[in-house]
């Protein structure tokens, strides 16, 4: 379990980003400390006050030392923004040995909790996805499906609800809530939010020139179409539950 930190999120600058490739030089996200600080500055101006850093998991490469990198990044950024916090997690790619490797400390859960941010191949079958999620739950973890909008198998009616009933939590990227009205995927994503199927939103920020943390458009849509309590769950409260290792109902 990581060192406990106090969450200082308040009413207007209250967002906790649960999916951010913000650690410098460890994956295809931020390339160096300067870029990380600039990305965090952009996120801060959009209302983000904390992130769970989620570098990609690698079965062959480095999965350790992230706490030290995150601590250095937090120290540098907090010189200007002392109310900001960074926790360590990982965007894990599902494979048969994932639960075992997590138990061995060879991968990171979200903020040291039972929650695991997990992704699959975009062409995964629904049966394989269900089996992977169940395997993680059987091992005592709570799987958070990363950017669920990317999996074509979930667009069939009732499948997202089935995963939720089984115990999975759903994370959607902010950018998936913006676009043209005639975008079929956009309509599907917004419907999932309005029907209460999404537990968490994340920026999935990578680089200044690739998926920067531009979330204002999604926030404006949320303010117009959802109640304050529902928005709070998506952008802050459920993330706080993960950090405190509490159940998301």
């Amino acid at each position: 379990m990581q060192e406990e930190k106090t969450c200082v999120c308040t009413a207007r600058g209250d967002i906790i980003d649960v999916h951010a490739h913000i650690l410098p030089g460890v994956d295809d996200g931020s390339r160096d400390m300067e870029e990380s600080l600039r990305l965090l500055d952009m996120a801060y101006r959009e209302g983000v006050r904390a992130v769970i850093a989620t570098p990609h998991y690698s079965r062959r490469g480095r999965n350790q030392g992230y706490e030290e990198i995150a601590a250095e990044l937090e120290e540098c950024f907090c010189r200007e923004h002392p109310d900001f916090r960074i926790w360590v997690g990982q965007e894990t790619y599902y494979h048969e040995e994932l639960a075992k490797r997590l138990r061995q400390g060879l991968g990171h859960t979200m903020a040291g909790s039972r929650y695991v941010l997990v992704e699959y191949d975009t062409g995964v079958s629904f049966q394989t996805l269900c089996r992977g999620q169940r395997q993680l739950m059987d091992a005592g973890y709570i799987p958070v499906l990363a950017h669920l909008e990317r999996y074509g198998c979930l667009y069939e009616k009732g499948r997202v609800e089935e995963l939720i009933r089984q115990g999975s939590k759903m994370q959607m990227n902010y950018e998936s809530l913006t676009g043209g009205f005639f975008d079929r995927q956009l309509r599907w994503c917004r419907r999932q939010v309005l029907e209460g199927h999404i537990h968490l939103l994340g920026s999935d920020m990578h680089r200044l020139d690739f998926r920067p943390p531009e979330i204002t458009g999604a926030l404006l849509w949320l303010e117009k179409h959802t109640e304050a309590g529902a928005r709070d769950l998506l952008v802050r409260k459920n993330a706080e539950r993960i950090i405190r290792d509490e159940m998301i109902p």
Side-chain angles (χ1 to χ4, degrees), residues 155-220:
Y155 283 67
E156 186 171 321
K157 185 175 178 61
R159 287 186 165 178
V160 173
E161 296 96 313
E162 183 175 341
L163 281 174
I164 293 171
R165 284 195 299 270
Q166 292 175 357
S168 295
K169 307 305 175 186
M170 302 292 146
Q171 182 261 310
M172 180 177 283
N173 285 359
Y174 281 99
E175 67 177 356
S176 296
L177 295 175
T178 60
F181 178 76
F182 295 102
D183 184 332
R184 181 185 176 191
Q185 184 185 53
L186 170 67
R187 296 198 305 273
W188 184 87
C189 289
R190 288 179 172 179
R191 187 166 66 251
Q192 301 313 304
V193 169
L194 295 175
E195 293 179 357
H197 299 157
I198 307 303
H199 301 95
L200 300 146
L201 291 172
S203 71
D204 198 6
M205 70 174 100
H206 274 65
R207 299 181 174 190
L208 292 169
D209 56 356
F210 175 64
R211 203 175 293 139
E214 297 173 344
I215 65 174
T216 296
L219 293 174
L220 290 173

Side-chain angles (χ1 to χ4, degrees), residues 48-180:
V48 176
R49 293 296 179 270
V51 301
I52 300 177
T54 54
H56 287 290
Y57 175 86
S58 172
R59 278 184 274 182
R60 294 177 294 275
R62 164 185 178 178
N63 294 296
Q64 303 300 317
Y66 295 153
E67 290 86 354
E68 292 79 5
I69 298 171
E72 181 183 2
L73 178 60
E74 182 181 85
E75 181 182 3
C76 290
F77 192 68
C78 283
R79 292 169 188 166
E80 296 292 330
H81 305 288
D83 58 338
F84 200 87
R85 295 293 178 265
I86 300 175
W87 283 268
V88 173
Q90 203 160 20
E91 183 180 14
T92 62
Y93 185 86
Y94 177 77
H95 60 285
E96 294 292 335
E97 297 293 311
L98 178 58
K100 177 181 177 181
R101 288 173 178 259
L102 288 169
R103 286 195 301 268
Q104 293 173 338
L106 300 177
H108 292 270
T109 61
M110 302 177 75
S113 69
R114 291 166 290 170
Y115 290 86
V116 179
L117 184 66
V118 58
E119 67 171 340
Y120 295 78
D121 184 87
T122 56
V124 66
S125 70
F126 185 63
Q127 292 73 22
T128 298
L129 199 158
C130 285
R131 182 168 58 84
Q133 298 292 86
R134 282 197 301 269
Q135 186 186 67
L136 287 168
M137 285 183 276
D138 289 344
Y141 297 105
I142 304 172
V144 177
L145 185 59
H147 38 60
L148 86 159
E149 64 271 24
R150 296 186 185 177
Y151 309 110
C153 67
L154 297 185
Y155 283 67
E156 186 171 321
K157 185 175 178 61
R159 287 186 165 178
V160 173
E161 296 96 313
E162 183 175 341
L163 281 174
I164 293 171
R165 284 195 299 270
Q166 292 175 357
S168 295
K169 307 305 175 186
M170 302 292 146
Q171 182 261 310
M172 180 177 283
N173 285 359
Y174 281 99
E175 67 177 356
S176 296
L177 295 175
T178 60

